[in-house]
Amino acid sequence: MASAASTSATAAVAAAASRLLLRRAPHLLRRLPRAAPSARPYCSSSSFGAAAAAPLRRPFGHRARMGHTSASASASAAVPALGLTKANAVELPQVAFTGKDIEFSDWKGDILAVAVTEKDLSKGSDSKFENAVLKKLDAQLSGLLSEASAEEDFTGKAGQSVVLRLSGQGFKRVALVGLGQSAPSTAAACRGIGESVASVAKSAQATSVAIVLASPAGIQEGFKLNAAAAIASGTVLGLHEDSRFKAESKKVHLKQVDLIGLGSGSELDQKLKYVNDLSSGVIFGKELVNAPANVLTPAVLAEEASKIASEFSDVFTATILDVEKCQELKMGSYLGVAAASANPPHFIHLCYKPVGGNVKRKLAIVGKGLTFDSGGYNIKTGPGCSIELMKFDMGGSAAVFGAAKALAQIKPPGVEVHFIVAACENMISGTGMRPGDILTASNGKTIEVNNTDAEGRLTLADALVYACNQGVDKIIDLATLTGACVVALGPSIAGIFTPSDELAQEVTAASELSGEKFWRLPMEESYWEQMKSGVADMVNTGGRQGGSITAALFLKQFVDEKVQWMHIDMAGPVWNDKKRAATGFGVSTLVEWVLKNSSSSSS
């Protein structure tokens, strides 16, 4: 990722590489043929997170059985990771969600969680709650709720919660969860309810929870289904903690969540099944980003992607291109970035085709796959360079493969989707590209490298050309591309760039359902003047000003004009600094976008 500081920096490493890197023999092109679907137990809508039949996550590097596995891929899987680090198999959250239309006071279990707004806590002249739900509950508890909320200074602000231990009731605890000033009206707000409830449940080691809104009338009837789904999603994602690289893992105790007053029946069950599949993809994406670069090499990333095709062979095939094949396809831009690393590049292509065929639309999703970015000879140095976090520079590819895993289970009809990642590392050695080198991309355009730390766009260039050659109608690429975008939009919002108003509207609509935040930025063509080279067709970086825009203009040079295309710069929201962990950003929006382009837009 090009940091805001490194975009203008030209510092080079003075020390030469201490050892020569042996060039590995190019390995064979590996293709997984489409096969009959493997027998796989059905994951019902009442189970969450991982499939019920496979509660343990296999460690990264565990090679799935495949039709053809190349010798070098096998060797890569067999070589111990630097530091002898292995990802432990951990149990993923598996929670049964049920919609119930019952009186909350009749519910029996560990925690009754009530989501309240600031207004819900208002009291009348008799010092009793005016809200009907809180008034009834407080009476049932002999005024304990009113007393405790006052003593704990609970005002219903977003993020606040108070938990009371009870005796003589059907539920062991009651929790008040703050919503802020108004009832939730967006997927993001409802997901926040689930996350807060998950936090309360983890602290109490509860096995069962019921969630009720103090003011259910505040949620519009047409939004209730999506609200229930978002609460469920927030709960399971809030429960998930990535402890694969810790000596001890925390056990998830919560097994049952009842959603009271948000509907029930087959329609809700179907929605919860969808959320189940989607959440497994988000968790997979988070785990890919969280995995350190000494464990998640380009070879292991390819291995993980291939497992999706192996497990869901009824709808997926996988093609992994080696160095030799990439040379045949003239991917000089991508291979230039990969040249310095002892870990060889792997160009990954998963293809989803619906059961029964009848494809009406072809899409491609391209993700940046730098499993580690040192910056190259323009090495990342100084405050804010975040070199220690550059394992997340493959966040775009994590979103791509997370979406692939979710869609493999959802199986949308009428749409073909290509998931493409040019995976590699950006390292330093005597074999690596230097500032001033000229690379030739697979569409014949030449690039003068004036900054080796602007490497992501170089890998995406060849990936975008490859995507266009698949005959697709639309392409979305995702990348942790520029620090400039983080400066512009902050840590929570991704920037989107596209010449297509139609595509911008599609992704905006998808993001409203997912709850993820995007903001469209301009593609100012006059800024291309900064990208001109005296000796090649272009340079790979412009000046500091408008850095995310010039990066998008660079990518545009490698997209067919007949193809609708969008670039998403997700450098900000890929990582949560407070939690020191990946967010899984992008997976939900990509899935919603694909569904909107399928024959059935219901989700």
Side-chain angles (χ1 to χ4, degrees), residues 57-60 85-90 244-245 291 295:
R57 167 77 70 208
R58 289 176 297 184
F60 285 137
T85 302
K86 294 181 180 179
N88 298 317
V90 296
R244 294 166 301 147
F245 300 100
V295 173

Side-chain angles (χ1 to χ4, degrees), residues 327-406:
Q327 288 174 341
E328 291 177 11
L329 295 175
K330 300 181 179 181
M331 296 183 177
S333 186
Y334 164 49
L335 293 176
V337 176
S341 178
N343 290 309
H346 287 68
F347 192 98
I348 309 163
H349 177 198
L350 299 185
C351 180
Y352 168 87
K353 291 187 179 180
V355 176
N358 193 26
V359 173
K360 297 181 179 179
R361 186 157 293 169
K362 294 184 179 182
L363 311 175
I365 306 175
V366 178
K368 177 183 172 183
L370 268 293
T371 57
F372 187 77
D373 176 21
S374 70
Y377 277 104
N378 292 103
I379 193 169
K380 294 178 183 293
T381 58
C385 72
S386 300
I387 191 171
E388 74 282 2
L389 290 177
M390 282 303 112
K391 65 179 184 179
F392 73 41
D393 217 15
M394 42 64 65
S397 68
V400 168
F401 294 139
K405 182 166 187 177

Side-chain angles (χ1 to χ4, degrees), residues 94-118:
Q94 294 188 71
V95 185
F97 284 80
T98 307
K100 291 187 175 181
D101 292 320
I102 62 171
E103 284 292 328
F104 67 86
S105 55
D106 296 332
W107 183 81
K108 292 179 173 58
D110 288 339
I111 300 177
L112 175 66
V114 185
V116 299
T117 65
E118 295 176 29

Side-chain angles (χ1 to χ4, degrees), residues 435-491:
D437 284 357
I438 295 178
L439 309 178
T440 304
S442 48
N443 65 348
K445 294 186 177 181
T446 57
I447 307 155
E448 181 185 3
V449 179
N450 61 0
N451 191 329
T452 62
D453 193 25
E455 82 301 326
R457 65 198 70 182
L458 297 174
T459 66
L460 288 170
D462 283 325
L464 287 169
V465 173
Y466 182 93
C468 290
N469 289 338
Q470 306 309 308
V472 298
D473 306 305
K474 303 175 185 179
I475 298 175
I476 289 180
D477 80 70
L478 302 93
T480 49
L481 206 64
T482 67
C485 197
V486 185
V487 172
L489 300 178

Side-chain angles (χ1 to χ4, degrees), residues 107-404:
W107 183 81
K108 292 179 173 58
D110 288 339
I111 300 177
L112 175 66
V114 185
V116 299
T117 65
E118 295 176 29
K119 184 179 179 181
D120 292 333
L121 292 171
S122 60
K123 298 177 180 179
S125 56
D126 57 358
S127 298
K128 294 184 178 180
F129 290 115
E130 294 180 334
N131 177 271
V133 170
L134 294 181
K135 188 173 185 178
K136 181 177 180 179
L137 182 59
D138 196 35
Q140 183 177 337
L141 301 180
S142 302
L144 182 61
L145 196 64
S146 177
E147 180 182 332
S149 62
E151 288 182 357
E152 298 292 334
D153 195 26
F154 179 80
T155 61
K157 291 182 179 179
Q160 276 190 320
S161 64
V162 60
V163 182
L164 305 178
R165 177 94 185 192
L166 307 172
S167 61
Q169 301 291 331
F171 37 92
K172 298 176 183 178
R173 291 177 175 85
V174 63
L176 296 182
V177 176
L179 296 176
Q181 295 182 349
S182 58
S185 58
T186 64
C190 290
R191 194 172 61 230
I193 296 174
E195 291 172 352
S196 296
V197 170
S199 177
V200 169
K202 284 192 292 186
S203 297
Q205 295 187 358
T207 60
S208 60
V209 171
I211 302 174
V212 61
L213 298 178
S215 297
I219 295 184
Q220 296 181 0
E221 192 65 31
F223 181 60
K224 282 189 175 181
L225 196 64
N226 287 331
I231 291 171
S233 175
T235 302
V236 72
L237 295 178
L239 288 172
H240 175 252
E241 291 186 31
D242 193 351
S243 57
R244 294 166 301 147
F245 300 100
K246 295 183 178 181
E248 296 182 5
S249 61
K250 294 181 180 179
K251 184 178 180 181
V252 178
H253 296 274
L254 188 61
K255 299 299 180 185
Q256 176 68 42
V257 173
D258 295 327
L259 305 172
I260 298 176
L262 292 173
S264 60
S266 60
E267 189 176 10
L268 180 58
D269 290 342
Q270 182 181 1
K271 191 70 174 178
L272 293 177
K273 168 65 171 66
Y274 163 75
V275 176
N276 173 33
D277 299 335
L278 178 60
S279 295
S280 70
V282 175
I283 289 174
F284 181 56
K286 290 172 66 175
E287 290 188 342
L288 287 175
V289 176
N290 284 336
N294 61 321
V295 173
L296 189 75
T297 62
V300 173
L301 182 60
E303 198 78 36
E304 291 298 313
S306 297
K307 289 176 187 176
I308 298 173
S310 180
E311 184 176 0
F312 302 99
S313 57
D314 56 329
V315 290
F316 263 101
T317 56
T319 302
I320 311 298
L321 306 184
D322 63 2
V323 172
E324 186 178 56
K325 188 62 179 179
C326 291
Q327 288 174 341
E328 291 177 11
L329 295 175
K330 300 181 179 181
M331 296 183 177
S333 186
Y334 164 49
L335 293 176
V337 176
S341 178
N343 290 309
H346 287 68
F347 192 98
I348 309 163
H349 177 198
L350 299 185
C351 180
Y352 168 87
K353 291 187 179 180
V355 176
N358 193 26
V359 173
K360 297 181 179 179
R361 186 157 293 169
K362 294 184 179 182
L363 311 175
I365 306 175
V366 178
K368 177 183 172 183
L370 268 293
T371 57
F372 187 77
D373 176 21
S374 70
Y377 277 104
N378 292 103
I379 193 169
K380 294 178 183 293
T381 58
C385 72
S386 300
I387 191 171
E388 74 282 2
L389 290 177
M390 282 303 112
K391 65 179 184 179
F392 73 41
D393 217 15
M394 42 64 65
S397 68
V400 168
F401 294 139

